[in-house]
Amino acid sequence: AAAHPGCRVWRRTRRTTVHDLVHEARATLGRVRAAELLAAMAGERPPLVIDTRTHTDRVRFGTIAGSVHAPRTVLEWHPDPANGDTHPARPGFHTPIVVVCNGGYSSSLAAANLVRLGFTEVADLVGGVHAWRAAGLPLVPPDHSHLDL
C-alpha cells in the first residue's frame, strides 16, 4: 500500500497488507482502553492479562501488575490444552483475556489467534503499554525468575 503524500490514508493494493491483517483481526475481538482494563482488573471477574512483549521491552518500560508473560513467539502454545505443556496460568476457554504489546498492533494479531483457538472473551489493549504509560497508570518491574528454571 502506498500513502498519499502528506497524509496517512492508505490505498488498497492487490495483495494483503499488514493493515489488512490488523483490520481483520480486530473484527474478531474486543478492544479495551487503559482505564477500562484497570477497572476490569479490579472487578469481580478480572481478565487474565497476557503480555506478549520481549524481555527487553518489559525491562525497559515495566509491566502491568498481575500480567502473565507469554512471548509473542509462543503465545498460541501456552494456553491451548492441545499443546500438552501449557502455561501454569492457562485460562479456560471462557476466561476473559486481554492481550498486551507495546503499541496495540501485534496484540491484535495475537488476540485474534486466541479467538481462532476457541477462546471466547478475548480483547487487546488499545495503544498497548505505551497508552497505559501515557494514561499515568502504574507499571512494575517484570519478574523473569521463571527464565532461571
Side-chain angles (χ1 to χ4, degrees), residues 51-59 69 71-72 102 144:
D51 187 337
T52 63
R53 295 175 302 140
T54 64
H55 169 83
T56 304
D57 285 337
R58 288 166 48 83
V59 167
H69 186 217
R72 180 64 193 102
N102 277 328
H144 289 119

Side-chain angles (χ1 to χ4, degrees), residues 13-93:
T13 67
R14 291 183 196 163
R15 70 174 183 83
T16 299
T17 68
V18 69
H19 304 288
D20 297 324
L21 292 177
V22 171
H23 177 76
E24 290 168 7
R26 289 177 177 168
T28 69
L29 53 107
R31 305 204 72 217
V32 297
R33 299 198 178 279
E36 295 168 329
L37 176 55
L38 182 65
M41 292 172 69
E44 288 184 29
R45 203 164 162 249
L48 174 65
V49 179
I50 301 177
D51 187 337
T52 63
R53 295 175 302 140
T54 64
H55 169 83
T56 304
D57 285 337
R58 288 166 48 83
V59 167
R60 192 167 75 178
F61 298 115
T63 63
I64 297 171
S67 64
V68 172
H69 186 217
R72 180 64 193 102
T73 56
V74 295
L75 172 70
E76 292 82 0
W77 295 99
H78 281 268
D80 191 342
N83 174 21
D85 185 26
T86 56
H87 192 282
R90 180 179 62 82
F93 285 108

Side-chain angles (χ1 to χ4, degrees), residues 1-11 19 105:
H4 297 286
C7 70
R8 305 266 305 166
V9 175
W10 295 88
R11 287 185 287 151
H19 304 288
Y105 292 96

Side-chain angles (χ1 to χ4, degrees), residues 78-110:
H78 281 268
D80 191 342
N83 174 21
D85 185 26
T86 56
H87 192 282
R90 180 179 62 82
F93 285 108
H94 303 293
T95 301
I97 299 171
V98 177
V99 182
V100 176
C101 68
N102 277 328
Y105 292 96
S106 67
S107 60
S108 294
L109 300 174

Side-chain angles (χ1 to χ4, degrees), residues 85-140:
D85 185 26
T86 56
H87 192 282
R90 180 179 62 82
F93 285 108
H94 303 293
T95 301
I97 299 171
V98 177
V99 182
V100 176
C101 68
N102 277 328
Y105 292 96
S106 67
S107 60
S108 294
L109 300 174
N113 278 345
L114 293 180
V115 170
R116 290 186 68 202
L117 290 173
F119 294 91
T120 60
E121 295 186 52
V122 184
D124 78 323
L125 178 60
V126 175
V129 169
H130 294 313
W132 184 275
R133 288 176 64 217
L137 299 176
L139 293 164
V140 298

